[in-house]
């Protein structure tokens, strides 16, 4: 008799290769279209499935988890950040949570550098002039940006992605500074040539570019609040490829409009897809639709991680990328 296969519900379309492999291994319910799952469908999924594969567009909160059936044993998040999941409540209900760390580090760090360059060198402004057909020819003082080499970069959150940003920034000749819950080991600090600031306030006041690379947790929510944003130098810029909730977006918008911060590169927003519309009006602000980790290679590797986590669990072992509340 064939063995009972795990029933797995995937909430969004995943790359074809990932969906094919999942279908070979599990009794998987794939999405016919790529719209975020409605709450009712999510409830049905947690009631009936053994494993749920959500993404950042699904809120797996205590209310939803309260509806989970006896069978639900694993939430294998397609994503590194798990702020869409109430990990604590899941744990209390005996449901494991896994994520996909590591495979989106380089892509996200690349996008951070792209945003730094885009803002400091005014790339979207130049593109817009060309697209409008408004270029009147070269001029010695035309489209002057700021040189990134020699600038002080402050990395807020020196985990995998923060460190990958630091390596890239050093190659561009930037001076790397960082703030993190824990100081790095001396050999890592030396390798990254990074200067540690125990006080975030002090670091923020001294850098030319601030890059947000920490996860969104209760203790990082609005870490860059109005008071801290005001500490930044008026000619400094901020880039965020992490989570919008780390910055008070309304305060940032006000300060950008008032010229109290020189620019911003934002890939993520406090209210998901609802970026403050005033940000769109500002020439010194580069907005992207959360595409920091959006490479085909990255998405396939994320899918492979999800599969490994489910398969390992199915084989009776601890999923390699288990998220435990103490990590958050
Ligand atoms: C992913 C991300 O695209 O993995 C993360 O934490 O922020 C993104 O880069 C998204 O979360 C996929 O669910």
């Amino acid at each position: 008799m064939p063995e009972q296969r795990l029933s797995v519900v995937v909430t969004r379309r995943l790359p074809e290769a990932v969906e094919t492999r999942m279908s070979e291994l599990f009794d998987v319910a794939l999405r016919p279209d790529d719209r975020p799952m409605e709450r009712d469908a999510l409830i049905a999924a947690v009631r009936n499935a053994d494993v749920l594969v959500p993404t950042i567009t699904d809120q797996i909160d205590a209310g939803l988890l309260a509806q989970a059936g006896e069978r639900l044993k694993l939430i294998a998040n397609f994503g590194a950040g798990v702020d869409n999941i109430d990990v604590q409540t899941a744990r209390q209900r005996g449901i494991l949570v896994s994520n996909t760390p590591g495979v989106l580090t380089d892509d996200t760090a690349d996008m951070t550098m792209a945003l730094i360059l885009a803002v400091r060198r005014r790339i979207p402004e130049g593109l817009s002039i060309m697209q409008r057909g408004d270029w009147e020819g070269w001029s010695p003082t035309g489209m002057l940006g700021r040189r990134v080499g020699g600038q002080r970069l402050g990395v807020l959150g020196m985990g995998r992605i923060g460190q990958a940003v630091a390596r890239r920034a050093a190659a561009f000749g930037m001076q790397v500074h960082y703030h993190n819950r824990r100081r790095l080991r001396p050999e890592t600090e030396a390798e990254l040539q990074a200067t540690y600031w125990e006080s975030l306030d002090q670091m923020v006041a001294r850098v030319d570019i601030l890059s947000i690379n920490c996860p969104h947790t209760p203790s990082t929510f609005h870490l860059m609040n109005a008071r801290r944003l005001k500490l930044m130098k008026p000619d400094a810029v901020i880039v965020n490829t992490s989570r919008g909730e780390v910055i008070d977006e309304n305060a940032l918008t006000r300060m950008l409009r008032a010229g109290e911060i020189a620019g911003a590169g934002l890939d993520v927003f406090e209210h998901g897809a609802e970026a403050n519309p005033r940000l769109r009006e500002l020439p010194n602000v580069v907005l992207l639709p959360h595409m920091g980790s959006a490479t085909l290679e990255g998405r396939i590797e994320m899918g492979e991680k999800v599969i490994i986590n489910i398969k390992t669990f199915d084989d009776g072992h601890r999923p390699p990328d288990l998220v435990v509340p103490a990590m958050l």
Side-chain angles (χ1 to χ4, degrees), residues 54-56 77-81 100 104 108 242-243 290 292-293 299 302:
T55 73
I56 193 176
N77 196 42
F78 184 88
T100 62
L104 29 76
T108 309
S242 170
R243 284 293 183 266
H290 195 161
S293 70
R299 290 288 184 258
M302 286 166 76

Side-chain angles (χ1 to χ4, degrees), residues 21-320:
R21 187 68 189 127
M22 278 189 167
S23 310
E24 287 163 3
L25 292 169
F26 315 116
D27 176 13
V28 63
L30 298 170
R31 291 285 281 166
D33 58 51
D34 192 36
R35 284 198 306 274
M37 227 183 212
E38 302 285 347
R39 189 79 173 175
D40 285 356
L42 265 183
I43 292 173
V46 296
R47 280 209 181 126
N48 303 312
D50 299 309
V51 179
L52 180 72
V53 179
T55 73
I56 193 176
T57 52
D58 307 298
Q59 278 312 314
I60 315 297
D61 51 30
L64 184 83
L65 290 166
Q67 317 239 25
E70 281 295 303
R71 290 178 64 170
L72 187 69
K73 285 284 169 277
L74 174 66
I75 297 170
N77 196 42
F78 184 88
V82 288
D83 52 333
N84 55 317
I85 303 171
D86 185 338
V87 178
Q88 186 92 35
T89 303
R91 192 76 177 179
Q92 280 159 5
R93 299 186 65 95
I95 303 163
L96 301 180
V97 176
S98 64
N99 67 344
T100 62
V103 291
L104 29 76
T105 302
D106 287 331
D107 294 327
T108 309
D110 289 346
M111 196 57 96
T112 305
M113 295 308 296
L115 279 176
I116 291 173
L117 290 169
V119 177
R120 285 266 95 145
R121 299 299 304 274
R122 306 175 62 185
I123 294 171
E125 284 178 77
L127 175 66
S128 160
I129 289 171
M130 297 307 285
Q131 285 177 333
R132 292 196 312 266
D134 281 352
W135 190 38
E136 289 173 357
W138 184 85
S139 123
T141 54
M143 288 308 295
L144 300 185
R146 297 295 302 276
R147 178 187 291 159
V148 296
Q151 294 221 311
R152 285 176 158 218
L153 170 71
V155 178
L156 171 48
M158 200 54 139
R160 286 189 185 85
I161 297 174
Q163 292 183 31
V165 170
R167 285 199 184 86
R168 284 158 175 74
F172 275 86
M174 294 183 214
Q175 299 164 32
V176 178
H177 299 257
Y178 78 100
H179 172 82
N180 200 43
R181 269 187 304 184
R182 260 169 294 133
R183 187 169 180 169
L184 297 177
R185 291 207 309 268
E187 52 278 26
T188 315
E189 237 177 45
E191 184 232 322
L192 296 171
Q193 300 167 46
T195 304
Y196 177 65
W197 292 82
E198 193 178 339
S199 158
L200 176 58
D201 284 0
Q202 288 188 18
M203 181 180 88
V204 159
R206 285 166 177 79
V207 296
D208 304 299
I209 301 163
L210 181 69
S211 174
I212 310 298
N213 297 106
C214 60
H216 165 220
T217 66
S219 51
T220 65
F221 177 78
H222 279 196
L223 202 51
M224 289 308 297
N225 54 19
R227 182 191 68 77
R228 275 214 178 92
L229 288 167
K230 282 200 165 56
L231 297 175
M232 288 179 70
K233 300 196 288 183
D235 62 352
V237 299
I238 188 165
V239 297
N240 190 358
T241 51
S242 170
R243 284 293 183 266
E245 290 91 334
V246 178
I247 303 178
D248 179 342
E249 191 173 298
N250 283 337
L252 174 66
T253 307
R254 274 197 308 274
M255 291 181 66
L256 285 162
R257 281 164 60 86
E260 291 162 10
I261 290 181
L266 307 173
D267 186 43
V268 283
F269 304 91
E270 192 174 336
H271 304 289
E274 308 293 321
N276 186 322
R278 300 214 137 154
L279 288 169
R280 293 202 298 264
E281 300 157 7
L282 299 169
N284 51 344
V285 175
V286 181
L287 305 176
L288 293 179
H290 195 161
M291 52 194 272
S293 70
T295 66
L296 179 61
E297 294 83 351
R299 290 288 184 258
I300 291 175
E301 288 172 17
M302 286 166 76
E304 284 165 353
K305 280 220 153 220
V306 167
I307 291 171
I308 290 169
N309 280 306
I310 303 175
K311 187 77 182 76
T312 312
F313 166 76
D314 198 16
D315 293 343
H317 305 291
R318 179 193 154 102

